[in-house]
Amino acid sequence: MWNSCLHPVLRSSRTLLSSVRSSHRPSLPPPLLSRSSLHHHLPLSRPLSRSSSPGRLMELREVLEVLEQLAPLALAEPWDNVGLLVEPSRPRPVRTLLLTTDLTEAVMEEAEAASCDLLVSYHPPLFRPIKRLVQKDWKQRLAVRALEGGMAVFSPHTSWDSVKGGVNDWLVGGLGSGRVSVLQQALSGDAPYRHKVEVMLRSSVDLSTVLQELKVVQGGALLHSSVTSTDGSERLLSVSCSDSALPPAVKTLLRHSDLEPSVLKLQQPPLPGHGQGRLLVLDQPVTVATAVDKMKRHLGLNHLRLALGVGRTMDSSVGSAAACAGSGASVLGGVRADLYITGEMSHHEVLDAVAMGTSVLLSDHSNSERGFLAVVRERLALRLPDTVTVMTSRADRDPLEVV
């Protein structure tokens, strides 16, 4: 059952368009692998392909479908730029796929040497709008080189973060087993109806005329109406509609001067397990020192940065941890946990966490994400034929290091 939240009465479709908006989030398939598989790492230096699969060539479109089965792009944040970013004009089968966290010039040289057909870059190399492709900008140079080499470029970014069994589940899983919940819940977009328009019909209004006018809106395909009798001579007309059908439906009702429609936004049901950030309540609490050692091994790093919460020591107990890959302050801020795990936070964001007794563990941005490529590599190899070689970049690394 959806929850409804009443908006103020809207008297024009222009006001309506600017006031009522929502993003489309389709339904998702179940996780592709069990939770235990998130902790299985494969050597990054060896190409991986599934030799037991029937040998057949796969077109780019087919490989992209597999990638979207792993994590639907609709799970990405509204501000993100995900999906196919570079598409060559001449289609060719995908024989070599290279996974990387960032597409840098060193990674591009690696891709060219391997005759790569598809680059999957977790971070989108093209993010802001561009008006030209010239050599003075390094990201534009990479786009040109991809096109010249016939390489497609795909970016999943926050869709991998949000999906159940994705980056954030992998990240927090390094600390140990326990009860995991989502910090910012993703919502389902299954239902075609996102809004409800309600209007009280007085006796002077011809109901059949109003219903006939509504039927012509969007061909009647995106509307559903019902009428309920009330005390007296008035009737309540409810019209459920999609995002696209909402403005013309309200405009149709406003043609009748006696009608004052009210718009309700239907809240979509949550998608269990999907969303941004994770909170882990450990089955077996550990000390801060043990948590640091576990995360070093999980991330494959010799050094992490630690800020101890007020009143905490290295021997203090960690029973809960909140994690968000990359730059996690916007998701972690205010969450009650013994430990925050993320890539980077600003000085003042760290101070805020420390002041409420939460310790902070930072790995630098892409180090909190890179290890998940091994998981993706395994999942793709299980779903692609042996004609597709899946590789993980050796040149990909965080630009920052401890010196």
Side-chain angles (χ1 to χ4, degrees):
M1 191 80 178
W2 297 344
N3 297 321
S4 299
C5 178
L6 184 64
H7 286 256
V9 174
L10 303 178
R11 299 182 180 276
S12 70
S13 58
R14 177 176 298 179
T15 303
L16 178 67
L17 277 170
S18 63
S19 302
V20 185
R21 292 187 178 180
S22 62
S23 60
H24 177 68
R25 294 192 182 277
S27 61
L28 298 174
L32 296 177
L33 293 181
S34 65
R35 170 137 190 163
S36 62
S37 67
L38 298 181
H39 305 290
H40 179 66
H41 292 269
L42 301 174
L44 301 188
S45 60
R46 178 174 56 86
L48 177 66
S49 62
R50 188 184 180 191
S51 58
S52 59
S53 299
R56 73 176 188 86
L57 298 179
M58 290 192 77
E59 298 298 324
L60 174 62
R61 172 186 55 79
E62 296 176 286
V63 178
L64 295 181
E65 288 175 357
V66 173
L67 285 165
E68 283 219 52
Q69 289 169 5
L70 288 170
L73 295 177
L75 278 174
E77 293 298 293
W79 49 262
D80 208 354
N81 188 39
V82 296
L84 185 61
L85 304 184
V86 176
E87 182 180 11
S89 60
R90 295 180 181 178
R92 70 185 191 191
V94 175
R95 291 184 172 88
T96 303
L97 184 158
L98 182 66
L99 297 169
T100 184
T101 308
D102 291 295
L103 180 53
T104 61
E105 293 188 286
V107 172
M108 177 58 75
E109 291 174 3
E110 182 182 16
E112 290 170 338
S115 300
C116 181
D117 304 296
L118 173 59
L119 272 162
V120 177
S121 176
Y122 168 75
H123 290 129
L126 298 176
F127 189 78
R128 296 180 178 85
I130 57 176
K131 295 184 177 180
R132 65 195 74 204
L133 289 172
V134 295
Q135 293 299 304
K136 66 179 181 180
D137 180 273
W138 70 275
K139 290 186 177 181
Q140 294 174 31
R141 286 199 302 270
L142 292 176
V144 172
R145 287 172 69 175
L147 288 171
E148 290 176 341
M151 284 182 276
V153 179
F154 175 89
S155 177
H157 202 201
T158 53
S159 66
W160 279 9
D161 295 345
S162 182
V163 72
K164 186 175 183 179
V167 176
N168 283 313
D169 280 305
W170 167 82
L171 178 62
V172 78
L175 203 56
S177 62
R179 187 174 71 254
V180 178
S181 57
V182 175
L183 294 178
Q184 293 184 0
Q185 186 68 59
L187 302 178
S188 171
D190 275 346
Y193 305 128
R194 305 297 298 274
H195 310 278
K196 180 183 288 186
V197 183
E198 293 188 340
V199 62
M200 195 65 72
L201 301 178
R202 299 180 177 88
S203 57
S204 59
V205 177
D206 183 2
L207 175 60
S208 61
T209 299
V210 175
L211 294 177
Q212 187 60 40
E213 290 175 352
L214 288 172
K215 282 183 179 180
V216 302
V217 173
Q218 299 279 320
L222 302 177
L223 293 173
H224 174 73
S225 59
S226 63
V227 180
T228 304
S229 298
T230 62
D231 295 338
S233 59
E234 293 184 325
R235 296 149 297 174
L236 178 64
L237 172 63
S238 296
V239 181
S240 299
C241 53
S242 66
D243 287 335
S244 59
L246 179 60
V250 172
K251 185 176 180 180
T252 297
L253 292 172
L254 288 172
R255 292 190 191 130
H256 300 268
S257 58
D258 291 340
L259 302 185
E260 296 183 354
S262 298
V263 177
L264 300 87
K265 185 168 183 176
L266 302 175
Q267 299 300 315
Q268 305 303 295
L271 285 168
H274 303 280
Q276 296 300 323
R278 298 292 186 269
L279 177 64
L280 168 66
V281 179
L282 285 163
D283 291 333
Q284 298 288 336
V286 297
T287 65
V288 173
T290 300
V292 171
D293 288 339
K294 280 176 168 284
M295 293 309 299
K296 281 182 179 179
R297 290 194 299 271
H298 187 61
L299 299 174
L301 299 174
N302 294 322
H303 303 283
L304 294 171
R305 291 187 292 163
L306 172 68
L308 284 170
V310 171
R312 306 287 180 174
T313 70
M314 295 298 287
D315 293 324
S316 294
S317 176
V318 175
S320 61
C324 181
S327 182
S330 62
V331 175
L332 300 177
V335 174
R336 288 291 176 182
D338 297 322
L339 180 67
Y340 285 172
I341 302 173
T342 186
E344 59 181 346
M345 292 173 67
S346 74
H347 173 74
H348 294 286
E349 290 163 346
V350 172
L351 289 179
D352 288 341
V354 166
M356 67 178 193
T358 299
S359 299
V360 177
L361 197 59
L362 304 178
S363 62
D364 286 332
H365 191 111
S366 67
N367 288 333
S368 65
E369 304 153 337
R370 183 166 292 103
F372 184 68
L373 296 181
V375 179
V376 176
R377 181 165 167 258
E378 180 183 2
R379 294 180 181 182
L380 286 175
L382 291 173
R383 299 180 68 85
L384 298 175
D386 58 0
T387 56
V388 181
T389 298
V390 182
M391 303 175 61
T392 305
S393 173
R394 301 181 188 180
D396 178 42
R397 57 179 51 87
D398 197 278
L400 290 171
E401 60 182 72
V402 179
V403 295

